[in-house]
């Protein structure tokens, strides 16, 4: 058996051919494909405005620049990739880490408690962890009740929906982001996007994406003005060509992921391996996470990781609590009361989950996992 990683991109012949066409066109960087990709994302996720950018991290940074001020307090989750809360630090705002629920997503009831305790909190950055939608009813309640900005980090969740609300549609948030890193559902190599329904926010982001530079029709043809301190977070036509081709296959890719999740759910039913959540139609399954109570077993989490690696299976830990990272500890974080996250960190890891994971490979993963755990 060849090595089975936890995640992997899928590049088809059409993907390759269409990128080659762009490589021989007049545009390599910002050209028509960027707009085309943005339009396709607008259609796909039901948001009014989409800005494609160079990475998911760039998307989060731009949102933080546009929505936050220095010293603003922002509620966020410890269960994410570093980029989510780093983007709050980039603008010298202050993350507040709140515990998660059993499904890995931030606990909005605890967020509400915090908002009641501290009305100066300016925003919530939630993450649709593993591909599971943030609870939209609770999000709506928070948005309607409190004067806060809401950002949905949907880096894991393109294609997910709950009660016909699509990830990225921003029905109950100010903005969402996607990542198109190769382990995600669709890839542009590096790449990301911001979605929003606010014209004002979109226009601000558009300027920040390209150096804070403005060019208007009443200017002389060679003129441009820098209005703000922006960045070069542009994505290229080459990347967007790949993105367009990948996007056309997204639904079938999610169907496959759901089928794989159902296969795992079935294999683990009534065993010592507990899925973080079983199929409920709300996840587009970037990750399939399982919980194992290692305290009841002889094998440790580290041994399991290494033994599976020896047998050509790559599992992964999503995530080490961000607030416990050395850099965050140096800022005074790390002692928050997050019992669910602490337990999650002891017990959970992600199994291989990607479009081209064959039935045979899934069977091998399941069989080997039981063998190693029961050895
Ligand atoms: C939840 C989450 N947010 C943000 C990012 C950052 O995305 P990118 O790698 O495209 O910068 C990632 C990437 O892994 C992520 O998983």
């Amino acid at each position: 058996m060849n090595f089975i990683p936890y995640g992997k991109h899928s590049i088809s012949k059409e993907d390759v051919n269409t990128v080659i066409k762009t490589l021989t066109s007049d545009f390599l960087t910002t050209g028509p494909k960027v707009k085309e990709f943005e339009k396709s994302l607008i259609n796909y996720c039901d948001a009014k405005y989409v800005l494609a950018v160079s990475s998911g991290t760039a998307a989060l940074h731009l949102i933080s620049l546009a929505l936050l001020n220095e010293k603003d307090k922002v509620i966020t989750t410890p269960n994410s990739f570093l980029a989510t809360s780093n983007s709050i630090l980039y603008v010298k705002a202050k993350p507040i880490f709140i515990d998660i629920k059993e499904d890995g997503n931030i606990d909005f009831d605890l967020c509400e408690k915090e908002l009641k305790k501290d009305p100066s909190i300016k925003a919530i950055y939630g993450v649709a962890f593993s591909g599971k939608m943030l609870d939209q009813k609770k999000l709506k309640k928070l948005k309607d009740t409190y004067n806060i900005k809401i950002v949905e980090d949907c880096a894991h969740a393109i294609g997910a929906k709950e009660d016909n609300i699509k990830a990225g549609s921003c029905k109950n948030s100010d903005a969402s982001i996607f990542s198109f890193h190769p382990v995600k559902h669709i890839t542009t190599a590096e790449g990301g996007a911001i979605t929003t329904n606010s014209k004002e926010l979109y226009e601000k982001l558009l300027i920040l994406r390209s150096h804070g530079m403005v060019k208007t029709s009443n200017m002389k043809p060679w003129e441009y003005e820098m209005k703000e301190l922006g960045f070069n977070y542009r994505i290229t036509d080459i990347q967007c060509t790949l993105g367009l081709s990948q996007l056309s296959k997204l639904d079938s890719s999610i169907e496959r992921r759901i089928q794989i999740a159902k296969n795992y759910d079935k294999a683990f039913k009534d065993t010592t391996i507990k899925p973080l959540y079983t199929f409920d139609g709300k996840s587009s399954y970037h990750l399939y996470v399982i919980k194992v109570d290692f305290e009841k077993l002889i094998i440790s989490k580290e041994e399991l990781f290494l033994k599976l690696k020896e047998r050509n299976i790559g599992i992964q830990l999503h995530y080490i609590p961000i607030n416990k990272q050395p850099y965050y500890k140096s800022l005074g974080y790390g002692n928050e009361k997050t019992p669910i996250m602490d337990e999650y960190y002891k017990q959970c890891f992600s199994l291989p989950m990607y479009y081209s994971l064959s039935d045979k490979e899934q069977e091998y993963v399941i069989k080997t996992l039981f063998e190693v755990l029961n050895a």
Side-chain angles (χ1 to χ4, degrees), residues 55-57 60 80-81 83-84 127 153 155-156 177 179 181 184 191 319:
S55 69
T57 306
L60 284 162
S80 183
F81 183 59
T84 313
V127 175
D153 180 337
H156 297 182
I177 70 109
S179 162
H181 179 276
K184 304 297 192 308
Y319 286 100

Side-chain angles (χ1 to χ4, degrees), residues 6 54-60 79-85 126-130 153-156 177-184 189-193 286-287 318-319:
Y6 86 87
S54 54
S55 69
T57 306
L60 284 162
N79 193 27
S80 183
F81 183 59
L82 306 164
T84 313
S85 59
V127 175
F129 174 75
S130 73
D153 180 337
C154 294
H156 297 182
I177 70 109
F178 295 128
S179 162
F180 306 127
H181 179 276
V183 290
K184 304 297 192 308
E190 296 287 352
H286 163 51
L287 303 173
H318 298 95
Y319 286 100

Side-chain angles (χ1 to χ4, degrees), residues 51-84:
L51 193 82
V53 292
S54 54
S55 69
T57 306
L60 284 162
H61 187 188
L62 289 180
I63 287 179
S64 295
L65 283 164
L67 294 184
L68 303 177
N69 290 308
E70 275 188 32
K71 298 201 173 105
D72 278 356
K73 293 180 200 163
V74 182
I75 287 176
T76 192
T77 171
N79 193 27
S80 183
F81 183 59
L82 306 164
T84 313

Side-chain angles (χ1 to χ4, degrees), residues 31 68 93 131 137 153 187 208 230 285 304 331 364 372:
L68 303 177
K137 285 191 188 88
D153 180 337
T187 189
L208 288 169
Y285 285 105
L304 179 70
L331 299 179
Y364 176 73
V372 173

